[in-house]
Structures are given as C-alpha cells and as structure tokens.
Amino acid sequence: MNEVLLRNLTPSVLAILVRRGADFAAAEDAVQDALVEAVRVWPADPPRDPKGWLVTVAWRRFLDTVRADAARRRREDLVNEEPAPGPAPAADDTLRLYFLCAHPSLTPSSAVALTLRAVGGLTTRQIARAYLVPEATMAQRISRAKRTVSGLRFDQPGDVATVLRVLYLVFNEGYSGDVDLAAEAIRLTRQLAAVIDHPEVAGLLALMLLHHARRAARTAPDGGLVPLAEQDRGRWDTASIAEGVGILQAALARDRLGEFQAQAAIAALHADAPTAEETDWVQIVEWYDELAHLTDSPIVRLNRAVAVGEADGPRAGLAALAALDASLPRHTAVAAYLHERDGDLATAARLYAEAAQKAPNLAERDHLTRQAARLNARR
C-alpha cells in the first residue's frame, strides 16, 4: 500500500467533493472512509485510476451519510450528480483547497489551524507547537473550526494573508525535518505567485527559497544540528539563493513592505555573507526593527536580541533580552549563547543544560546538551 500516494491524493479528492456541494466536515469524513476502504481493497485489487476510485467511493460515502440524515433530505437531489467512473480531472486542487479552508466565517488563527490539519497533513501536536499553545487547546480550536464551517457552502474563499500564513507554517514544519512538507510548500507558493501579483506572495517565496537553500548544510552526518555560523557555505544551493534574492529585490522595489519581505531580507543578508564573520549584522538589526514594527512579535524581538549581540556586543544583546519574557521558547538558549559570547562560561553551561530540557525536538536537545558539555569540559 502506497501511503505517500494516498496522502498526496487526499487534498484533490477533498477539494472535488467540496466543489460538488459537500460541506467541509462531511467531505472530510467521507474521504477518510474512502482512504480506509483503499487500505483494505487496494493491496489485492489495485485500481487503474486511484484518484478516480477515491473520488467515486468518497462521493458515495458522502451521499450515504446525507440519506441517513433526515435533517439534510434536501441533499438527496445530489444523488443524480454522482460522478461516473473514470479518470478524475488532472488539475491540482490543493491550492484551491487552501483558499477554501481560509473561509471568512473563521478567524485567521482557526483557518490556519484547520487548513494545516485538513490539507497540510500536520498533526494537532505539530500545529500546537507552531502556535506555542498546549495540544489540548489546539484540538479544541480545530474542532470549533470544523463545527463553524460544517454545512456552509464554500463560495467565499479566504484572503491571501491567511493562505500565506498557512503555507509558511507548513514550510517551517517541513524544514524542521518532522514532516517533509517544505518542497510542497514551495511548489504551492510558486503556484500562488503565478496567479496573484502581490509583493508578500513574492516575499514568502523568496524567504522559502533562501532558507531551503541552506537545508543540506543544516545537519551533520550523524544527524546533529549545525548552527548557521558553522555551516559549510559551499553546500548552500547558490541557484536557489540567486532566485530568492532576485524575487525579493523585485518585491522590495514596489515599496509595499510586509513581514515576509522583511524576513527574506534578513535571510538574504545571511546568504550574501561569504563567511559568518562577514555577516552585516548592523543591517540585520535594522531589518529586525522593521519586522518588529510590522508584527510586534516577541519571537522577532528574541531573534533581534541575538542580532544586537552580534552587532553591538553580547552585553547589548543581553540587555535587549532582559526586556523579554523569560518563558519564550528558546529564550534560555539565546541567553546561554550571549553569556558564552560574554565569557561567562559557567552561566552559559548551566543555561545550555536548562535549554536542552525545554527543547521542542530531539535534534535541538542533543545540540544544546553538547554545548553544555563542551563548556563544562573547558572549565
């Protein structure tokens, strides 16, 4: 059974059911039933047209549910519209489904969460981590979103900003290595850039390309994390960097700055430096100032503290860090790094060990543990 094939077909099948009149919650349940049936049937009798098979079975499941629900008798007229067996349309409906999930009846945060769960394939735990909230809170948010859109017709697709937020979070999950979705997020953002002339769409595409260009250098052969300053820049994808910088420059020339363009500008400055020591940290701090003005995000201010520490010295970075909530994710790791830069190895080692206990994934925990061990060995 090809689980990857099933996962890749799911968004298109779901989009087809929604387009044919199924409400989102019922369509999602029908598609899940069809996937279960595929797991049961396909190993012994694989279909010639997997997508068409899933569409037909899911549609029949949806119609069965409609007939069984007396309150929805009006949907019985859809029986005559059941799609005939045969090849399904070859068009990629995934991007359309992102817009449908960003429905105006949902708050932006709920729309993002629902889309990540229904289309992006992320787990509730992964979405909760992206939003910095407990898993139970995110589960309730997704359930409420499903109830809100249940029974609605998706003839008012959501706005670009919500879709961009979704694509960025999907990219970050793929880039982290937990789920291989980074390339898919880039592909969808390219599609969006081809049909929408919007500087923030271009900014997001540039940001993704610039980050993705460094992916091969981010991990050591043993799977350990390699910090940006220690990465082998010869392994960076120069073609992706050049493309990302070109897209970014064209977007910035339109003088409609947004948060993704500002983030891409920071990534471009890192990519432009031949060595870590030649990084233009002064400009990076200036871009973080712009980004903080646009977003007022505590995570942006945390990253800015690191940049200030590089541009103006570790004590300036620690002063900027002191103004932030110590419970922020990676706050302790940043404090450890700045104390090490300031020569306080004992405090840095203790903070690295504390940060390791709070790390969101195994790779980061191992990296921070090694940092603590390295400093303890020097004392």
Side-chain angles (χ1 to χ4, degrees):
M1 170 57 57
N2 192 331
E3 295 182 4
V4 174
L5 174 63
L6 287 176
R7 187 179 66 204
N8 290 341
L9 288 175
T10 297
S12 292
V13 175
L14 183 54
I16 289 171
L17 265 64
V18 170
R19 195 163 60 239
R20 290 182 180 276
D23 66 77
F24 186 87
E28 188 178 32
D29 290 342
V31 172
Q32 290 302 317
D33 287 345
L35 293 176
V36 171
E37 185 69 5
V39 170
R40 187 183 70 83
V41 172
W42 286 11
D45 185 21
R48 285 181 295 179
D49 177 22
K51 183 176 178 180
W53 189 98
L54 286 171
V55 169
T56 299
V57 172
W59 185 253
R60 286 172 178 163
R61 289 288 191 276
F62 165 70
L63 293 178
D64 288 344
T65 300
V66 169
R67 296 188 192 102
D69 189 348
R72 299 182 181 181
R73 288 188 183 279
R74 61 184 178 82
R75 296 186 183 271
E76 291 182 354
D77 293 336
L78 296 174
V79 173
N80 294 328
E81 298 179 20
E82 179 178 337
D92 186 342
D93 292 303
T94 307
L95 190 58
R96 169 181 166 79
L97 193 56
Y98 272 100
F99 273 95
L100 294 176
C101 287
H103 196 273
S105 63
L106 297 172
T107 63
S109 61
S110 294
V112 170
L114 178 62
T115 311
L116 287 170
R117 185 72 184 92
V119 187
L122 276 63
T123 65
T124 302
R125 176 175 298 177
Q126 289 166 331
I127 301 169
R129 190 167 69 241
Y131 266 93
L132 311 179
V133 300
E135 184 177 354
T137 301
M138 183 53 65
Q140 292 174 354
R141 184 179 299 176
I142 293 172
S143 295
R144 285 196 300 268
K146 287 184 177 180
R147 288 195 298 270
T148 298
V149 300
S150 180
L152 293 175
R153 293 297 296 270
F154 287 82
D155 54 358
Q156 291 180 286
D159 65 358
V160 175
T162 301
V163 176
L164 291 181
R165 217 168 290 131
V166 172
L167 291 170
Y168 185 45
L169 286 171
V170 172
F171 175 81
N172 282 337
E173 283 295 335
Y175 193 62
S176 72
D178 293 334
V179 182
D180 188 14
L181 292 171
E184 176 69 359
I186 292 174
R187 185 183 71 83
L188 292 170
T189 307
R190 285 190 188 279
Q191 286 189 4
L192 191 60
V195 298
I196 297 178
D197 184 18
H198 193 296
E200 273 294 81
V201 177
L204 178 59
L205 179 56
L207 177 63
M208 288 179 175
L209 290 169
L210 290 164
H211 278 311
H212 204 59
R214 302 199 299 259
R215 188 171 189 176
R218 290 182 72 244
T219 54
D222 63 358
L225 290 180
V226 180
L228 177 61
E230 300 172 19
Q231 289 177 13
D232 177 0
R233 299 185 178 218
R235 299 185 65 195
W236 290 0
D237 184 346
T238 55
S240 291
I241 290 173
E243 182 185 5
V245 169
I247 292 170
L248 173 63
Q249 289 175 338
L252 291 175
R254 301 177 64 175
D255 198 23
R256 291 170 54 194
L257 184 64
E259 61 178 289
F260 291 120
Q261 294 169 74
Q263 289 187 61
I266 293 169
L269 286 167
H270 283 298
D272 187 54
T275 65
E277 293 72 24
E278 295 174 85
T279 304
D280 191 341
W281 286 106
V282 173
Q283 272 204 70
I284 288 176
V285 171
E286 292 174 354
W287 276 111
Y288 270 122
D289 288 339
E290 292 280 1
L291 189 55
H293 176 73
L294 289 167
T295 66
D296 196 29
S297 164
I299 300 300
V300 168
R301 296 187 185 280
L302 183 69
N303 292 332
R304 178 185 178 277
V306 176
V308 169
E310 299 289 354
D312 301 327
R315 294 195 179 182
L318 287 167
L321 187 65
L324 302 176
D325 186 345
S327 67
L328 281 172
R330 297 186 172 87
H331 185 285
T332 308
V334 170
Y337 173 73
L338 291 172
H339 277 290
E340 180 184 357
R341 289 278 321 282
D342 196 37
D344 187 352
L345 302 189
T347 299
R350 175 178 58 80
L351 290 173
Y352 275 130
E354 289 181 14
Q357 296 176 354
K358 305 173 185 176
N361 56 65
L362 181 61
E364 191 167 334
R365 186 185 71 188
D366 288 348
H367 170 71
L368 292 168
T369 301
R370 290 193 191 101
Q371 295 294 85
R374 174 179 58 80
L375 293 186
N376 283 325
R378 291 171 55 185
R379 293 165 53 198

